[in-house]
Short mmCIF file of all heavy atoms in Angstrom, two decimals:
data_model
loop_
_atom_site.label_atom_id
_atom_site.label_comp_id
_atom_site.label_asym_id
_atom_site.label_seq_id
_atom_site.Cartn_x
_atom_site.Cartn_y
_atom_site.Cartn_z
N LEU A 1027 17.04 -36.02 8.04
CA LEU A 1027 16.57 -37.05 7.15
C LEU A 1027 15.30 -37.65 7.75
O LEU A 1027 15.32 -38.21 8.85
CB LEU A 1027 17.61 -38.19 7.01
CG LEU A 1027 17.23 -39.37 6.10
CD1 LEU A 1027 16.86 -38.95 4.69
CD2 LEU A 1027 18.34 -40.42 6.07
N VAL A 1028 14.18 -37.44 7.05
CA VAL A 1028 12.88 -37.75 7.62
C VAL A 1028 12.03 -38.53 6.59
O VAL A 1028 11.99 -38.16 5.41
CB VAL A 1028 12.12 -36.48 8.01
CG1 VAL A 1028 10.75 -36.81 8.61
CG2 VAL A 1028 12.92 -35.64 9.01
N SER A 1029 11.39 -39.59 7.07
CA SER A 1029 10.52 -40.37 6.20
C SER A 1029 9.04 -40.21 6.63
O SER A 1029 8.69 -40.41 7.78
CB SER A 1029 10.89 -41.82 6.27
OG SER A 1029 9.99 -42.66 5.56
N PHE A 1030 8.21 -39.77 5.66
CA PHE A 1030 6.77 -39.65 5.86
C PHE A 1030 6.08 -40.84 5.24
O PHE A 1030 6.17 -41.03 4.00
CB PHE A 1030 6.27 -38.36 5.21
CG PHE A 1030 6.42 -37.10 5.99
CD1 PHE A 1030 7.67 -36.44 6.03
CD2 PHE A 1030 5.36 -36.50 6.66
CE1 PHE A 1030 7.81 -35.27 6.76
CE2 PHE A 1030 5.52 -35.35 7.39
CZ PHE A 1030 6.75 -34.71 7.43
N ALA A 1031 5.40 -41.62 6.01
CA ALA A 1031 4.55 -42.71 5.52
C ALA A 1031 3.27 -42.69 6.35
O ALA A 1031 3.07 -43.52 7.25
CB ALA A 1031 5.26 -44.02 5.59
N THR A 1032 2.42 -41.70 6.04
CA THR A 1032 1.18 -41.52 6.80
C THR A 1032 0.00 -41.95 5.91
O THR A 1032 0.17 -42.43 4.79
CB THR A 1032 0.99 -40.05 7.16
OG1 THR A 1032 0.67 -39.31 5.96
CG2 THR A 1032 2.26 -39.46 7.76
N THR A 1033 -1.19 -41.84 6.47
CA THR A 1033 -2.39 -42.09 5.69
C THR A 1033 -3.11 -40.81 5.26
O THR A 1033 -4.29 -40.79 4.97
CB THR A 1033 -3.40 -42.98 6.48
OG1 THR A 1033 -3.70 -42.33 7.74
CG2 THR A 1033 -2.79 -44.32 6.80
N ALA A 1034 -2.37 -39.71 5.27
CA ALA A 1034 -2.94 -38.40 4.91
C ALA A 1034 -3.49 -38.38 3.49
O ALA A 1034 -2.85 -38.90 2.55
CB ALA A 1034 -1.89 -37.29 5.06
N THR A 1035 -4.68 -37.83 3.30
CA THR A 1035 -5.26 -37.70 2.00
C THR A 1035 -5.28 -36.26 1.53
O THR A 1035 -5.55 -36.01 0.33
CB THR A 1035 -6.71 -38.25 2.01
OG1 THR A 1035 -7.48 -37.55 2.99
CG2 THR A 1035 -6.72 -39.74 2.31
N VAL A 1036 -5.06 -35.35 2.42
CA VAL A 1036 -4.94 -33.89 2.06
C VAL A 1036 -3.79 -33.28 2.79
O VAL A 1036 -3.35 -33.77 3.85
CB VAL A 1036 -6.26 -33.14 2.42
CG1 VAL A 1036 -7.41 -33.61 1.63
CG2 VAL A 1036 -6.56 -33.25 3.92
N PRO A 1037 -3.16 -32.21 2.26
CA PRO A 1037 -2.02 -31.59 2.91
C PRO A 1037 -2.34 -31.10 4.33
O PRO A 1037 -3.40 -30.59 4.56
CB PRO A 1037 -1.69 -30.41 1.97
CG PRO A 1037 -2.23 -30.81 0.67
CD PRO A 1037 -3.50 -31.55 0.98
N HIS A 1038 -1.39 -31.31 5.22
CA HIS A 1038 -1.58 -30.86 6.60
C HIS A 1038 -0.33 -30.18 7.17
O HIS A 1038 -0.29 -29.78 8.32
CB HIS A 1038 -1.91 -32.06 7.50
CG HIS A 1038 -0.89 -33.20 7.45
ND1 HIS A 1038 0.06 -33.35 8.44
CD2 HIS A 1038 -0.73 -34.18 6.57
CE1 HIS A 1038 0.76 -34.41 8.13
NE2 HIS A 1038 0.33 -34.92 7.00
N ILE A 1039 0.68 -29.97 6.30
CA ILE A 1039 1.88 -29.27 6.72
C ILE A 1039 2.09 -28.09 5.76
O ILE A 1039 2.28 -28.29 4.52
CB ILE A 1039 3.13 -30.18 6.70
CG1 ILE A 1039 2.90 -31.34 7.63
CG2 ILE A 1039 4.39 -29.40 7.10
CD1 ILE A 1039 3.98 -32.41 7.56
N ALA A 1040 2.01 -26.89 6.26
CA ALA A 1040 2.10 -25.67 5.42
C ALA A 1040 3.16 -24.67 5.88
O ALA A 1040 3.43 -23.71 5.20
CB ALA A 1040 0.75 -24.98 5.35
N ASP A 1041 3.78 -24.93 7.03
CA ASP A 1041 4.75 -24.03 7.61
C ASP A 1041 6.17 -24.40 7.18
O ASP A 1041 6.74 -25.40 7.66
CB ASP A 1041 4.64 -24.05 9.13
CG ASP A 1041 5.56 -23.01 9.80
OD1 ASP A 1041 6.31 -22.32 9.11
OD2 ASP A 1041 5.46 -22.87 11.06
N ARG A 1042 6.71 -23.65 6.23
CA ARG A 1042 8.07 -23.95 5.71
C ARG A 1042 9.14 -23.89 6.79
O ARG A 1042 10.15 -24.61 6.70
CB ARG A 1042 8.38 -22.92 4.61
CG ARG A 1042 9.83 -22.85 4.17
CD ARG A 1042 10.31 -24.15 3.51
NE ARG A 1042 11.67 -24.03 3.08
CZ ARG A 1042 12.74 -24.22 3.92
NH1 ARG A 1042 12.54 -24.50 5.20
NH2 ARG A 1042 13.95 -24.09 3.45
N SER A 1043 8.92 -23.08 7.82
CA SER A 1043 9.93 -22.94 8.88
C SER A 1043 10.15 -24.21 9.67
O SER A 1043 11.12 -24.34 10.38
CB SER A 1043 9.58 -21.78 9.79
OG SER A 1043 8.47 -22.12 10.56
N LEU A 1044 9.22 -25.20 9.53
CA LEU A 1044 9.39 -26.46 10.28
C LEU A 1044 10.55 -27.27 9.74
O LEU A 1044 11.17 -28.00 10.46
CB LEU A 1044 8.10 -27.27 10.14
CG LEU A 1044 6.86 -26.74 10.80
CD1 LEU A 1044 5.69 -27.69 10.51
CD2 LEU A 1044 7.04 -26.57 12.29
N ILE A 1045 10.90 -27.09 8.48
CA ILE A 1045 11.91 -27.98 7.82
C ILE A 1045 13.27 -27.33 7.89
O ILE A 1045 13.44 -26.17 7.45
CB ILE A 1045 11.50 -28.22 6.36
CG1 ILE A 1045 10.10 -28.86 6.31
CG2 ILE A 1045 12.49 -29.17 5.69
CD1 ILE A 1045 9.57 -29.06 4.89
N GLN A 1046 14.22 -28.02 8.42
CA GLN A 1046 15.58 -27.50 8.54
C GLN A 1046 16.26 -27.37 7.16
O GLN A 1046 15.97 -28.13 6.24
CB GLN A 1046 16.43 -28.44 9.40
CG GLN A 1046 16.03 -28.59 10.84
CD GLN A 1046 17.04 -29.42 11.58
OE1 GLN A 1046 18.20 -29.01 11.78
NE2 GLN A 1046 16.66 -30.61 12.05
N SER A 1047 17.11 -26.43 7.06
CA SER A 1047 18.00 -26.34 5.85
C SER A 1047 18.77 -27.60 5.67
O SER A 1047 19.24 -28.19 6.67
CB SER A 1047 18.94 -25.13 6.01
OG SER A 1047 18.24 -23.91 6.04
N GLY A 1048 18.89 -28.06 4.43
CA GLY A 1048 19.66 -29.25 4.19
C GLY A 1048 18.93 -30.54 4.43
O GLY A 1048 19.50 -31.63 4.32
N SER A 1049 17.64 -30.47 4.75
CA SER A 1049 16.87 -31.68 5.05
C SER A 1049 16.62 -32.47 3.75
O SER A 1049 16.53 -31.93 2.65
CB SER A 1049 15.52 -31.30 5.68
OG SER A 1049 15.68 -30.83 6.99
N THR A 1050 16.50 -33.78 3.94
CA THR A 1050 16.02 -34.69 2.89
C THR A 1050 14.75 -35.34 3.40
O THR A 1050 14.72 -36.04 4.44
CB THR A 1050 17.07 -35.75 2.53
OG1 THR A 1050 18.29 -35.12 2.16
CG2 THR A 1050 16.54 -36.69 1.47
N ILE A 1051 13.64 -35.13 2.68
CA ILE A 1051 12.31 -35.65 3.06
C ILE A 1051 11.98 -36.78 2.11
O ILE A 1051 11.87 -36.55 0.89
CB ILE A 1051 11.25 -34.57 3.04
CG1 ILE A 1051 11.69 -33.37 3.88
CG2 ILE A 1051 9.94 -35.13 3.51
CD1 ILE A 1051 11.83 -33.58 5.31
N LEU A 1052 11.78 -37.95 2.67
CA LEU A 1052 11.28 -39.09 1.89
C LEU A 1052 9.75 -39.09 1.99
O LEU A 1052 9.18 -39.55 2.95
CB LEU A 1052 11.86 -40.41 2.42
CG LEU A 1052 13.40 -40.41 2.60
CD1 LEU A 1052 13.83 -41.68 3.28
CD2 LEU A 1052 14.09 -40.24 1.25
N HIS A 1053 9.11 -38.47 1.00
CA HIS A 1053 7.67 -38.19 1.06
C HIS A 1053 6.91 -39.35 0.46
O HIS A 1053 6.23 -39.22 -0.57
CB HIS A 1053 7.38 -36.90 0.34
CG HIS A 1053 6.00 -36.37 0.55
ND1 HIS A 1053 5.39 -35.48 -0.33
CD2 HIS A 1053 5.09 -36.61 1.54
CE1 HIS A 1053 4.18 -35.20 0.11
NE2 HIS A 1053 3.99 -35.88 1.25
N VAL A 1054 6.96 -40.49 1.14
CA VAL A 1054 6.38 -41.74 0.60
C VAL A 1054 4.89 -41.67 0.54
O VAL A 1054 4.25 -42.21 -0.39
CB VAL A 1054 6.89 -42.95 1.45
CG1 VAL A 1054 6.22 -44.23 0.96
CG2 VAL A 1054 8.40 -43.05 1.43
N SER A 1055 4.26 -40.98 1.50
CA SER A 1055 2.80 -40.91 1.56
C SER A 1055 2.25 -39.83 0.60
O SER A 1055 1.02 -39.77 0.40
CB SER A 1055 2.31 -40.69 2.98
OG SER A 1055 3.12 -39.79 3.71
N LEU A 1056 3.05 -38.97 0.05
CA LEU A 1056 2.76 -38.15 -1.16
C LEU A 1056 1.83 -36.96 -0.95
O LEU A 1056 1.80 -36.02 -1.80
CB LEU A 1056 2.16 -39.02 -2.26
CG LEU A 1056 3.11 -40.00 -2.90
CD1 LEU A 1056 2.31 -40.97 -3.83
CD2 LEU A 1056 4.20 -39.31 -3.68
N ARG A 1057 1.05 -36.93 0.13
CA ARG A 1057 0.01 -35.88 0.23
C ARG A 1057 0.09 -35.08 1.52
O ARG A 1057 -0.89 -34.47 1.94
CB ARG A 1057 -1.37 -36.54 0.10
CG ARG A 1057 -1.58 -37.21 -1.24
CD ARG A 1057 -2.82 -38.07 -1.33
NE ARG A 1057 -2.98 -38.66 -2.64
CZ ARG A 1057 -2.40 -39.81 -3.02
NH1 ARG A 1057 -1.63 -40.50 -2.16
NH2 ARG A 1057 -2.59 -40.28 -4.23
N ASP A 1058 1.24 -35.07 2.16
CA ASP A 1058 1.39 -34.36 3.48
C ASP A 1058 1.62 -32.86 3.34
O ASP A 1058 1.28 -32.11 4.25
CB ASP A 1058 2.48 -35.01 4.26
CG ASP A 1058 2.25 -36.46 4.54
OD1 ASP A 1058 1.56 -36.77 5.54
OD2 ASP A 1058 2.68 -37.32 3.74
N PHE A 1059 2.23 -32.42 2.25
CA PHE A 1059 2.75 -31.05 2.16
C PHE A 1059 1.84 -30.16 1.30
O PHE A 1059 1.38 -30.55 0.22
CB PHE A 1059 4.13 -31.03 1.61
CG PHE A 1059 5.19 -31.64 2.53
CD1 PHE A 1059 5.74 -32.87 2.21
CD2 PHE A 1059 5.51 -31.02 3.73
CE1 PHE A 1059 6.66 -33.44 3.07
CE2 PHE A 1059 6.41 -31.59 4.57
CZ PHE A 1059 6.99 -32.78 4.25
N ALA A 1060 1.60 -28.95 1.82
CA ALA A 1060 0.85 -27.94 1.05
C ALA A 1060 1.72 -27.42 -0.12
O ALA A 1060 2.93 -27.56 -0.10
CB ALA A 1060 0.47 -26.76 1.97
N PRO A 1061 1.07 -26.88 -1.16
CA PRO A 1061 1.85 -26.44 -2.34
C PRO A 1061 3.01 -25.47 -2.04
O PRO A 1061 4.07 -25.59 -2.65
CB PRO A 1061 0.79 -25.73 -3.17
CG PRO A 1061 -0.51 -26.42 -2.81
CD PRO A 1061 -0.35 -26.72 -1.33
#
């Protein structure tokens, strides 16, 4: 269970293997993840 609240304006995370199976991501900052 992870909360993102950064000041990112463009995606900076593109490696899917970083995220564990069953994770819940609270993507509050909205722009951290690549498509």
Side-chain angles (χ1 to χ4, degrees):
L1027 177 58
V1028 180
S1029 175
F1030 279 78
T1032 73
T1033 57
T1035 57
V1036 294
H1038 56 100
I1039 301 172
D1041 185 355
R1042 166 65 180 82
S1043 68
L1044 293 179
I1045 303 175
Q1046 295 186 66
S1047 296
S1049 290
T1050 302
I1051 307 296
L1052 309 174
H1053 191 201
V1054 177
S1055 40
L1056 291 171
R1057 298 171 179 85
D1058 299 274
F1059 294 109

